[in-house]
Amino acid sequence: MSGTLYLNEKYANPHTKQVAAKAIRIWVRVADAFDIDLAARALEGRWLNEAELKALRYLVFRPIEEIELMSHAAVKNIASATKESDKEPKDRKGAVEPNTARKGSVGIANYLTWFHVKVIEPRMPLFSNVSEVLRREVRACSSELKKPMSGTKSMHPHLIRSVPRERYLQIYRTVYLHYADLFRTARGRLARNCIRDRAMTLLGSEGIRPGAIGNIALKDFEWVGKREHGHIQIKDNTSKRSKKLSTSTPVQKGAASSQNYNSEITVKIWPATAEAIQEYIDTERLAVTTRGLRNRSKGFLFLAEHGGPIEDRGTITGVFRRAGKGLAAMGLLYKDAGDPYLQGEAYDFNAYLLRHSAASFFYDEKVMEKPADVVMNLMEQRFGWVKGSAMPSLYGLRAISDAASITVEDYMESLFAEAKVVKSTKGESDEHSQAGGRAGGC
């Protein structure tokens, strides 16, 4: 019962609710095996012991179906396994990905903290020393479950995950000018949706979250042309979808959530990004919406090959994966020698790497004309971060270390000039021109 109350109170997004529900199922399995009665323990100032924590941190690496088939004895034996006989949980056959395991462990910690605050604490004796002892036990348990796990990609809130300014602009330039070299099929052929994929990647470079990209409606995009900036309205368009939302449906952050996300915003986008979106609308999008007897787009901007809305996050992830593969082949993801923040030899390319890099560039440009604290507030609005988020100062720090001094106007001017040269030198025989001349673009 408490698990259902917790899920309904804390989560509206079906994907995050499913992840949290799985974490609770793991907890219930351990609680049953060890016969854990938190209410009784609370009166003694106790919470979880070392053996129970060890079982939890092991089981989050196992598939939930396997966990629920285990006997009580098998669950308890996890805690008594010796170092010699026990491999690392992540190295055992059938183990889930470390990042998935960490989500489970953090999910259990969050649920137990909620259970203490909502269920246990109000029933504890007033002015009791036991209550303070219990609080310390709960905090210690939560810290243990939230410890980083071997093999996970660090999600530490104070770890900068972006590229330096010059590399960011190189990536944007390459996507805009040379997208035909980036978006290729497994056989090396030009991808059918390459113009769409370019526009989506450029929007990612503007800092738009991947879920929001798949949720933009056609009418949310405005551009007057003539190398002017465009505008994208980021809002909840899930009601336009005819299919029921699933965990894989791309949605705007905070859609249908009771939490206060600052994610319904209007974003000013660069002229090159707006031009790329319009090119997609006039070519590939037009082709798929007029192919059949009816328009199946539901009014969404970016469409799947069948002409309907993109229904799966995997489609968007695949766009950025292909872009990353192409950029890596061009040598644009190797470590910048002057980057003090990258841990490793290459950048892990994804939509959030672009989003965070865009945030640093935004700070860099705006701080030349406004006080830093004002720019931080603007960043919260521009990137849809909640009030008081640490993200503006984090990526402002990157901008300061890069010591940048270029404006968007200067960069756009040089980019359009280069695009003109590229088009004139390639000629009609160029593969891009041939593809662009056909209905449906690439």
Side-chain angles (χ1 to χ4, degrees):
M1 175 67 76
S2 63
T4 301
L5 290 173
Y6 169 74
L7 293 172
N8 290 337
E9 178 181 315
K10 290 291 185 179
Y11 303 99
N13 182 285
H15 175 70
T16 51
K17 180 181 280 190
Q18 184 182 65
V19 172
K22 179 184 174 184
I24 293 174
R25 288 164 67 185
I26 297 172
W27 156 248
V28 169
R29 189 70 198 85
V30 171
D32 286 346
F34 284 89
D35 194 23
I36 299 172
D37 184 344
L38 290 179
R41 291 187 182 190
L43 294 175
E44 301 172 1
R46 297 188 298 119
W47 204 236
L48 302 186
N49 61 39
E50 184 177 346
E52 293 155 356
L53 287 170
K54 180 178 179 180
L56 287 170
R57 284 178 65 85
Y58 175 91
L59 287 176
V60 291
F61 277 94
R62 308 309 307 168
I64 189 64
E65 297 79 11
E66 175 187 316
I67 295 170
E68 293 183 334
L69 289 175
M70 294 174 70
S71 66
H72 286 358
V75 173
K76 296 178 76 172
N77 283 342
I78 292 169
S80 60
T82 64
K83 291 183 179 179
E84 290 76 16
S85 64
D86 194 26
K87 292 182 180 179
E88 284 286 328
K90 68 181 179 64
D91 295 329
R92 284 181 168 264
K93 185 177 180 180
V96 301
E97 289 294 321
N99 280 338
T100 300
R102 176 160 171 72
K103 288 178 182 178
S105 187
V106 171
I108 294 169
N110 290 339
Y111 169 69
L112 290 176
T113 300
W114 175 89
F115 187 82
H116 170 253
V117 171
K118 293 287 187 176
V119 180
I120 300 296
E121 185 85 358
R123 293 166 175 79
M124 293 294 290
L126 293 176
F127 311 113
S128 169
N129 290 334
V130 175
S131 296
E132 182 55 38
V133 171
L134 180 62
R135 291 188 196 103
R136 288 198 296 267
E137 287 290 314
V138 173
R139 286 196 296 268
C141 171
S142 181
S143 296
E144 180 64 26
L145 288 171
K146 291 182 177 182
K147 280 183 179 179
M149 294 179 172
S150 176
T152 58
K153 296 178 181 178
S154 177
M155 294 300 287
H156 192 283
H158 301 300
L159 180 64
I160 291 179
R161 297 182 299 278
S162 62
V163 297
R165 171 185 56 96
E166 291 298 335
R167 185 66 61 82
Y168 165 64
L169 294 178
Q170 277 184 300
I171 289 173
Y172 185 95
R173 169 189 170 278
T174 301
V175 174
Y176 176 70
L177 293 175
H178 304 293
Y179 64 93
D181 297 323
L182 292 178
F183 300 109
R184 294 271 171 176
T185 66
R187 295 185 177 182
R189 297 175 180 173
L190 203 58
R192 184 177 300 176
N193 297 308
C194 64
I195 297 179
R196 180 201 69 181
D197 294 354
R198 174 178 71 155
M200 292 174 70
T201 306
L202 291 177
L203 269 181
S205 301
E206 297 267 10
I208 308 300
R209 293 183 174 99
I213 291 174
N215 190 59
I216 297 170
L218 178 62
K219 68 178 183 180
D220 294 336
F221 168 63
E222 294 182 359
W223 184 51
V224 298
K226 299 179 182 179
R227 298 188 179 176
E228 297 290 333
H229 284 77
H231 293 86
I232 291 282
Q233 189 174 6
I234 305 298
K235 62 181 183 180
D236 183 12
N237 286 317
T238 52
S239 61
K240 294 179 177 292
R241 297 182 181 274
S242 56
K243 294 183 179 180
K244 184 178 180 180
L245 296 185
S246 71
T247 56
S248 64
T249 306
V251 296
Q252 170 213 9
K253 185 177 178 67
S257 174
S258 58
Q259 298 188 48
N260 185 27
Y261 289 106
N262 178 29
S263 52
E264 291 210 358
I265 53 177
T266 297
V267 176
K268 182 180 178 181
I269 59 176
W270 293 355
T273 302
E275 181 188 84
I277 294 172
Q278 190 63 53
E279 182 177 353
Y280 163 67
I281 292 171
D282 294 339
T283 56
E284 290 177 359
R285 190 183 186 283
L286 178 63
V288 297
T289 55
T290 57
R291 185 181 300 154
L293 296 177
R294 62 188 180 90
N295 186 329
R296 304 173 60 192
S297 70
K298 305 291 183 184
F300 283 88
L301 175 58
F302 295 111
L303 307 178
E305 289 188 18
H306 54 67
I310 294 174
E311 300 288 355
D312 196 300
R313 294 171 183 262
T315 300
I316 302 172
T317 300
V319 170
F320 288 96
R321 184 183 297 118
R322 286 190 293 274
K325 184 177 180 180
L327 290 167
M330 294 179 182
L332 289 175
L333 298 184
Y334 66 87
K335 181 175 183 177
D336 188 296
D339 188 353
Y341 300 110
L342 175 65
Q343 296 180 356
E345 295 303 317
Y347 298 101
D348 182 21
F349 186 84
N350 54 57
Y352 283 94
L353 182 82
L354 292 177
R355 173 174 165 79
H356 298 154
S357 301
S360 292
F361 188 89
F362 181 90
Y363 177 92
D364 170 45
E365 185 194 21
K366 297 299 181 184
V367 82
M368 289 190 283
E369 57 189 50
K370 300 178 186 296
D373 59 335
V374 174
V375 176
M376 297 290 183
N377 290 332
L378 289 175
M379 290 175 76
E380 290 178 348
Q381 300 169 29
R382 168 62 174 75
F383 293 93
W385 286 319
V386 296
K387 187 70 176 175
S389 170
M391 300 301 277
S393 59
L394 186 65
Y395 289 100
L397 178 64
R398 153 73 87 182
I400 292 170
S401 69
D402 286 345
S405 60
I406 191 172
T407 66
V408 170
E409 288 72 19
D410 291 340
Y411 180 64
M412 286 291 108
E413 189 66 31
S414 65
L415 190 64
F416 283 129
E418 188 173 358
K420 186 175 181 180
V421 172
V422 169
K423 289 179 180 179
S424 64
T425 55
K426 284 189 175 182
E428 292 299 323
S429 61
D430 180 79
E431 187 178 20
H432 170 203
S433 297
Q434 290 180 13
R438 296 192 297 269
C442 299

